[in-house]
């Protein structure tokens, strides 16, 4: 499957996301129109990848937990969009190495890869410490990194607010969700600490949009 089907899927996902949420976007122009890059974002809910992937003007290859990737009902979709499954070394020795090889191939082909450096959903709504997987990727493939901040999904049924994600029925519809992409950071400057700090700043900006209802519902800048 080449990029054309993924572009169609991206458009369909964006239509669904725009129907379910009142989206506010900024900084999409920071994703380069061509060439390899990595997008990193805070991880709030199981909807994050769909929101970010739909909002991007280019199809994204995203890393995801292998148990979710292997879902009988959704595996076909994850394969179609080129998701890259990741499992712990304890459960599947060699999986991380294979996942990094897939990431490297995608970047070598000029694609954009998205990952959540926290490695898990936030348990409290705040940004968690970034793990070293991103640095392993950049050491092998030094490409620009676009940080992003996401707000509005904490408290949804797909987040860990008020208990394990997806353990209760949905309670909100058309909630305000904000996503802010920051300026690309050169690979030699993209250490964990700097990226985590930048994502925190972008999330704070997204939080402010959520709390300011008189802003335009959608901004594309």
């Amino acid at each position: 499957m080449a990029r054309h089907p993924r572009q169609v899927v991206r458009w369909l996902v964006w239509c669904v996301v725009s129907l379910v949420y009142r989206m506010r976007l900024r900084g999409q122009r920071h994703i380069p129109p061509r060439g390899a890059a990595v997008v990193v974002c805070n991880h709030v809910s199981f909807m994050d990848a769909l929101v970010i992937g739909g909002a991007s003007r280019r199809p994204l290859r995203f890393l995801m937990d292998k148990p979710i990737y292997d879902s009988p009902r959704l595996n076909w979709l994850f394969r179609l969009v080129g998701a890259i499954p990741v499992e712990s070394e304890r459960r599947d020795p060699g999986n991380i190495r294979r996942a990094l090889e897939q990431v490297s191939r995608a970047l070598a082909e000029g694609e954009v890869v998205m990952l959540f450096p926290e490695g898990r959903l936030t348990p409290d709504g705040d940004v968690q410490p970034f793990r070293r997987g991103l640095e392993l990727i950049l050491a092998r493939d030094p490409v620009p990194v676009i940080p992003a901040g996401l707000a509005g999904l904490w408290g949804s049924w797909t987040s860990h607010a008020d208990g394990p994600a997806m353990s209760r029925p949905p309670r909100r519809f058309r909630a305000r969700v904000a996503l802010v992409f920051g300026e690309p950071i050169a690979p030699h400057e993209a250490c964990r600490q700097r990226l985590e700090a930048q994502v925190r700043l972008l999330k704070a900006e997204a939080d402010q949009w959520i709390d300011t209802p008189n802003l335009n519902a959608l901004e594309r800048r």
Side-chain angles (χ1 to χ4, degrees):
M1 294 286 180
R3 298 177 188 178
H4 178 68
R6 294 212 292 268
Q7 189 69 274
V8 172
V9 172
R10 187 206 66 78
W11 180 81
L12 292 174
V13 166
W14 177 245
C15 290
V16 173
V17 166
S18 299
L19 176 66
V20 175
Y21 304 113
R22 287 177 287 170
M23 291 298 305
R24 298 175 178 180
L25 305 177
R26 173 172 288 179
Q28 292 163 293
R29 61 185 174 82
H30 293 312
I31 297 178
R34 63 187 64 84
V38 170
V39 174
V40 298
C41 188
N42 58 307
H43 202 6
V44 186
S45 79
F46 284 126
M47 288 295 295
D48 296 353
L50 294 178
V51 171
I52 301 167
S56 170
R57 290 174 176 171
R58 289 177 62 186
L60 302 180
R61 300 284 302 276
F62 57 93
L63 278 74
M64 65 183 304
D65 289 338
K66 192 172 187 298
I68 300 176
Y69 177 88
D70 289 337
S71 169
R73 294 183 179 181
L74 295 176
N75 178 256
W76 66 272
L77 175 61
F78 297 142
R79 292 169 63 89
L80 178 63
V81 299
I84 300 171
V86 181
E87 181 64 281
S88 68
E89 283 292 304
R90 179 175 58 84
R91 294 182 179 179
D92 184 0
N95 176 269
I96 293 179
R97 175 184 54 80
R98 294 192 297 272
L100 290 175
E101 289 174 352
Q102 289 189 62
V103 170
S104 185
R105 287 196 295 271
L107 295 174
E109 294 172 0
E111 296 192 83
V112 180
V113 174
M114 183 196 73
L115 67 148
F116 301 106
E118 296 162 278
R120 58 176 181 143
L121 294 184
T122 176
D124 56 13
D126 196 10
V127 179
Q128 305 301 298
F130 280 15
R131 300 182 180 181
R132 62 188 296 263
L134 175 61
E135 293 174 340
L136 295 176
I137 291 173
L138 296 178
R140 186 169 183 168
D141 298 280
V143 300
V145 181
I146 297 99
L150 179 64
L153 288 169
W154 177 250
S156 70
W157 72 295
T158 58
S159 73
H160 284 329
D162 303 321
M166 304 179 74
S167 62
R168 59 198 179 282
R171 294 176 295 179
R172 302 187 302 172
F173 182 69
R174 297 293 291 165
R176 289 195 296 269
V177 173
L179 175 62
V180 185
F181 293 98
E183 295 185 4
I185 297 176
H188 64 278
E189 298 177 346
C191 64
R192 269 184 291 173
Q193 294 79 5
R194 178 174 180 181
L195 287 169
E196 182 182 327
Q198 190 63 27
V199 167
R200 287 181 180 274
L201 289 174
L202 294 169
K203 178 185 177 297
E205 181 179 343
D207 284 330
Q208 185 177 14
W209 284 13
I210 295 298
D211 296 333
T212 311
N214 62 346
L215 290 175
N216 292 332
L218 181 63
E219 296 189 20
R220 294 179 179 270
R221 290 190 284 176

